[in-house]
Amino acid sequence: MNKIKKHGFLLLNTFFVIILFMGILLKDDFNFVALSFGSREITELVVVSEDGSESQVTTPYNIGKEGNTTLNITLPDVSGSEVLRVECKYQNIEAYVDGEHIFHSGVAVFGNIETTLGNYNALIPLKKSYSGKTMTIVVAPRNYSYSIYVQSVEVTTMHEYALRQIFASMPYYFFGVLVLGTSLVSMFGLICIHFYPGETDVSYLKKSLWCIIVFGFVLSSWMISDFHVMGILTGKMAFSGYLNYITFMVIPILFLYLISCFIHRKNYLLRVMIGIASLNFFVRIILFWWGIWDMPKFLIVSQIIYVLSIVAVMITSAMNLRNIDRKALKKIILPSALFVFCAFYSGYQYITNKEWMLTAGFASLFYIISVLILMINMVLNMFKTGIEVEIYKKRAYIDEMTGIPNRRAYEEKLDLIRNEGVSVDQFFITLDINGLKNANDLKGHQAGDELIKGAAQCIKEVFTPEGTVYRTGGDEFFVSIQCSKDELLNKIMRFNEICNNFAGSFINSISVSIGYVCAGDYNGKTLDELIHISDEAMYEAKNKYYEKEGIKRRT
C-alpha cells in the first residue's frame, strides 16, 4: 500500500501517456491538400424541409439534435484548387451537385467503433465546373450533443484555412505557452528542492510541484489542441479531437488534486469530486477502447463535472481561508476570484455555443498568477522553516559557549556506536581542564570562560576532522577518533604543546588531564566499560597534576 501511495502519481502519469499514444491508432480519413490562397464566406443558406419547402437562413444556424438537415448552397465562381468548408459537429455529411453524389465525409475508426472525433470541419473538394451551381448538403448531426450549429460555410483553400486558424489561435497559443512556462518553472523548483539540504519535510511541496507540472502540460495541450491546427497540418484530425477530449476530462482531476495539495490536509469534498472525475475518465476511455461507446457521447457529463469541480474548489477554499498564510492570501485573492469568474463564464460561453477560448485564456492567466504566488510562498516558507529547524538543531546539539557538540550530541553518538558496534582501531579520549576553579576564584569568571573556550579550541584543532569532539560537562570533554596508537600519541603531544603555548587575555597557558582507551586492547568490553577505563586514566592523570603542583583538589 505504501508503494502504491509513493508511486501512484507516477503510474497515473504513465497511464495517461499510454492513453495519448493509443490515439495514434485512430485511422483518420482527413486529407491535407496544399493549394492556393483565397476564401469567400457564404452566410446565406437555404434549408429544405421534408415536404420540399425551402426557407432562407444565415450562419450560424441551429440544425437541431437529431435527424438529417438538407441545405442548398449557391456556389460562387470556384476553381479546382478550392474546397467548400462546412464547420459543424457532424456524424457524417453528403454533398450533391446536379443530383451527382460528389462527397461523403470520412469516418475515423478505432477498433470496432466509428468515432466522430475530429468531425468539426467537412472539406468538400470543388471543381471549376461547379461555379454558379447549387450544392445540396445533407448533414447528419451528432445525435447526442445538446446543440448542433452550422457555424460557417466558406469557399477556401487548405493553405488559407490553416494559416487563418494559426493566426486566430495565436492568443490562445500564447496563453498555452504561459501555462507551459508555469510547468517548467515548477520543474526547476522541483530540482532545487531535490538538492535541498535541510531536513524539513517537503514531500507535500514536491507533490504540489509535480501536480503543477502535469496540470500545466495537460491544460496547455487542451488549449492548443482545441483549435485543431496540428490536426489540420498533419492530417490527424481524429487524434487532435482525441487529445482534446481526454485532456478536457483530465483537467478537473488534476485541478482538484492540485488544490488538495495546496490545502495540505484531508478534504472529503475534493476526494469525492476527484473520485467522480476519475471514474468518468476511466469509464469513458475503457468503453471507447472496447468499441462500445464513442468518446464524445454524453459530453455533457464531463462538462457538468468541470463546473462542479470549480464549485467544490470554491467551497473548499472558503472553508480553508483561515489556514492559508495571510500574506499569501492577500496576494492571491484577486487573481483567484478573476480565475473563478473567467472559468465559469468561459464554461457558460462554451455551452451556449459562443466564443469562449479568449475567456478561458484569461482564466489560465489568472490561474498562473495564483499558482506562482502560492508556489513562491510555499518555497519561501520551506526555506524559512528549514533555516529555523537548523537553528533549533544547532541550539539543541551545539554547546553555545564553545561551538562544539554538547552532551546531548554526545549521548546520541554513544547510542549510535552501541547500535553499530565498536571498531578495533577506535579510541575514546576523556579530557578534563586542570585549575578551572582556581582561575574562576583568582581571576574571575571571564578567565574561567576563556580557559574553557581555549581548551575547546585546542582540542578541536588537534583532533578534528579525523575525530569528533564533545563538551560533556563544565570542564569535561570527550573525543571519539579512529587512528593508530602512534598517531594518537603524536596528536596528544601536539595538543600539550599547543596548550602550553596558549595565550589569552586572562590565561597564559592551559593544562588538561587526558585519559584514553583503545577498543582493540580490550576485546569483549562494552562501550560503557571502555569509557569507564578512559575516565579512570584521566582521573589518574589529574591526581598526578595536582600532586605535582601542590594544589588541593576540590571535592
Side-chain angles (χ1 to χ4, degrees):
M1 182 60 70
N2 290 332
K3 289 184 177 180
I4 293 175
K5 289 182 179 180
K6 184 177 180 181
H7 303 292
F9 198 62
L10 179 61
L11 292 173
L12 284 176
N13 293 337
T14 305
F15 181 69
F16 181 67
V17 171
I18 293 172
I19 290 173
L20 285 179
F21 279 103
M22 288 292 287
I24 298 174
L25 300 177
L26 286 165
K27 297 177 181 178
D28 213 321
D29 195 53
F30 182 91
N31 292 314
F32 171 73
V33 184
L35 301 171
S36 60
F37 290 83
S39 63
R40 284 150 291 169
E41 187 175 3
I42 300 174
T43 57
E44 295 184 354
L45 312 175
V46 175
V47 179
V48 181
S49 61
E50 293 182 358
D51 59 6
S53 59
E54 298 181 352
S55 57
Q56 190 165 330
V57 298
T58 58
T59 57
Y61 173 65
N62 188 344
I63 61 176
K65 300 179 181 179
E66 299 179 358
N68 295 346
T69 299
T70 302
L71 303 172
N72 285 339
I73 300 171
T74 302
L75 297 174
D77 289 338
V78 297
S79 67
S81 63
E82 293 178 313
V83 296
L84 183 73
R85 184 182 70 86
V86 181
E87 182 182 355
C88 175
K89 294 179 180 179
Y90 59 90
Q91 186 77 23
N92 59 72
I93 289 182
E94 308 281 344
Y96 303 84
V97 174
D98 292 338
E100 179 187 353
H101 183 265
I102 65 167
F103 177 79
H104 172 74
S105 60
V107 179
V109 179
F110 186 88
N112 299 321
I113 192 171
E114 292 184 349
T115 176
T116 58
L117 287 172
N119 287 9
Y120 305 104
N121 290 277
L123 302 170
I124 305 171
L126 299 176
K127 296 179 181 179
K128 187 172 180 60
S129 59
Y130 297 164
S131 299
K133 293 186 177 181
T134 298
M135 178 180 289
T136 301
I137 299 174
V138 181
V139 182
R142 297 180 184 177
N143 56 14
Y144 39 76
S145 297
Y146 46 82
S147 62
I148 295 295
Y149 283 78
V150 175
Q151 294 285 1
S152 63
V153 179
E154 66 174 350
V155 175
T156 185
T157 65
M158 286 302 300
H159 263 155
E160 171 69 18
Y161 173 53
L163 287 174
R164 191 167 65 249
Q165 284 294 93
I166 290 172
F167 284 113
S169 60
M170 290 301 285
Y172 314 113
Y173 282 177
F174 172 73
F175 286 125
V177 170
L178 283 180
V179 174
L180 194 61
T182 307
S183 294
L184 297 177
V185 172
S186 302
M187 193 177 297
F188 176 75
L190 191 64
I191 294 171
C192 293
I193 292 173
H194 180 73
F195 295 102
Y196 173 63
E199 297 183 6
T200 309
D201 182 15
V202 293
S203 58
Y204 76 97
L205 184 54
K206 288 182 178 180
K207 191 184 297 183
S208 301
L209 290 175
W210 265 116
C211 197
I212 292 173
I213 292 168
V214 178
F215 182 66
F217 276 107
V218 171
L219 182 59
S220 59
S221 298
W222 175 64
M223 296 180 68
I224 292 172
S225 66
D226 199 72
F227 265 78
H228 307 289
V229 172
M230 296 307 296
I232 295 169
L233 296 177
T234 61
K236 290 286 184 180
M237 284 296 291
F239 177 70
S240 178
Y242 178 84
L243 176 64
N244 187 251
Y245 271 99
I246 64 170
T247 50
F248 181 75
M249 290 189 292
V250 169
I251 283 172
I253 302 172
L254 293 175
F255 184 59
L256 291 164
Y257 188 76
L258 177 61
I259 297 300
S260 68
C261 290
F262 283 150
I263 292 174
H264 193 39
R265 60 177 56 200
K266 292 181 179 180
N267 186 283
Y268 293 104
L269 177 59
L270 293 182
R271 286 188 173 188
V272 168
M273 284 306 306
I274 290 173
I276 293 173
S278 301
L279 182 64
N280 173 65
F281 174 73
F282 286 112
V283 168
R284 294 175 78 92
I285 288 293
I286 291 171
L287 292 177
F288 179 70
W289 281 1
W290 285 351
I292 300 173
W293 203 344
D294 194 6
M295 190 176 293
K297 198 168 187 178
F298 293 115
L299 177 62
I300 188 68
V301 175
S302 298
Q303 293 167 341
I304 291 173
I305 290 174
Y306 172 86
V307 174
L308 290 178
S309 298
I310 297 177
V311 173
V313 168
M314 292 177 62
I315 294 173
T316 303
S317 300
M319 293 173 61
N320 288 272
L321 283 177
R322 60 183 179 182
N323 300 318
I324 300 177
D325 182 75
R326 293 297 176 186
K327 292 182 180 179
L329 181 61
K330 290 179 181 179
K331 295 174 182 177
I332 69 168
I333 190 164
L334 179 60
S336 297
L338 291 172
F339 161 70
V340 171
F341 171 77
C342 290
F344 264 119
Y345 190 59
S346 66
Y348 165 76
Q349 290 176 308
Y350 181 80
I351 293 172
T352 56
N353 208 53
K354 296 179 180 179
E355 175 55 47
W356 60 276
M357 279 296 291
L358 187 60
T359 310
F362 279 109
S364 66
L365 180 62
F366 295 129
Y367 156 78
I368 291 168
I369 295 171
S370 302
V371 166
L372 286 177
I373 292 173
L374 279 175
M375 185 175 65
I376 292 171
N377 187 69
M378 291 169 69
V379 172
L380 291 178
N381 284 341
M382 180 199 70
F383 279 100
K384 181 181 177 182
T385 303
I387 292 170
E388 291 175 349
V389 168
E390 291 299 319
I391 292 173
Y392 291 142
K393 182 179 178 181
K394 185 175 181 180
R395 289 177 179 174
Y397 290 93
I398 300 298
D399 179 62
E400 188 173 351
M401 177 183 287
T402 62
I404 63 176
N406 59 14
R407 181 83 188 186
R408 179 179 294 176
Y410 162 75
E411 295 290 350
E412 291 193 4
K413 176 66 174 180
L414 295 188
D415 290 337
L416 182 64
I417 295 173
R418 289 187 186 99
N419 293 331
E420 295 181 352
V422 180
S423 303
V424 293
D425 61 342
Q426 192 159 13
F427 283 86
F428 301 110
I429 309 169
T430 307
L431 304 97
D432 193 293
I433 300 174
N434 296 322
L436 177 61
K437 184 177 184 304
N438 287 336
N440 283 326
D441 293 343
L442 300 176
K443 299 181 180 180
H445 287 285
Q446 286 183 322
D449 291 346
E450 185 179 76
L451 184 57
I452 294 172
K453 293 178 183 178
Q457 179 183 332
C458 295
I459 295 170
K460 187 176 180 181
E461 180 179 344
V462 173
F463 293 102
T464 60
E466 296 88 348
T468 309
V469 178
Y470 303 90
R471 184 186 180 194
T472 56
D475 55 1
E476 300 170 355
F477 296 85
F478 179 84
V479 177
S480 173
I481 189 171
Q482 286 182 263
C483 62
S484 67
K485 190 168 185 178
D486 289 339
E487 288 174 333
L488 178 65
L489 293 176
N490 288 332
K491 286 182 179 292
I492 292 175
M493 188 182 300
R494 179 167 168 255
F495 172 71
N496 289 328
E497 182 180 347
I498 293 174
C499 287
N500 289 332
N501 294 328
F502 179 86
S505 301
F506 302 97
I507 303 298
N508 294 325
S509 65
I510 297 173
S511 175
V512 178
S513 296
I514 302 176
Y516 64 87
V517 63
C518 178
D521 294 338
Y522 295 91
N523 291 328
K525 294 288 186 179
T526 65
L527 175 62
D528 295 314
E529 290 172 334
L530 292 172
I531 293 175
H532 179 72
I533 294 171
S534 177
D535 286 341
E536 290 298 320
M538 181 273 292
Y539 288 131
E540 184 178 346
K542 181 170 279 290
N543 289 331
K544 288 181 181 179
Y545 165 79
Y546 282 115
E547 288 177 5
K548 179 181 177 182
E549 297 295 326
I551 301 173
K552 184 178 180 182
R553 186 179 177 189
R554 61 176 179 169
T555 56

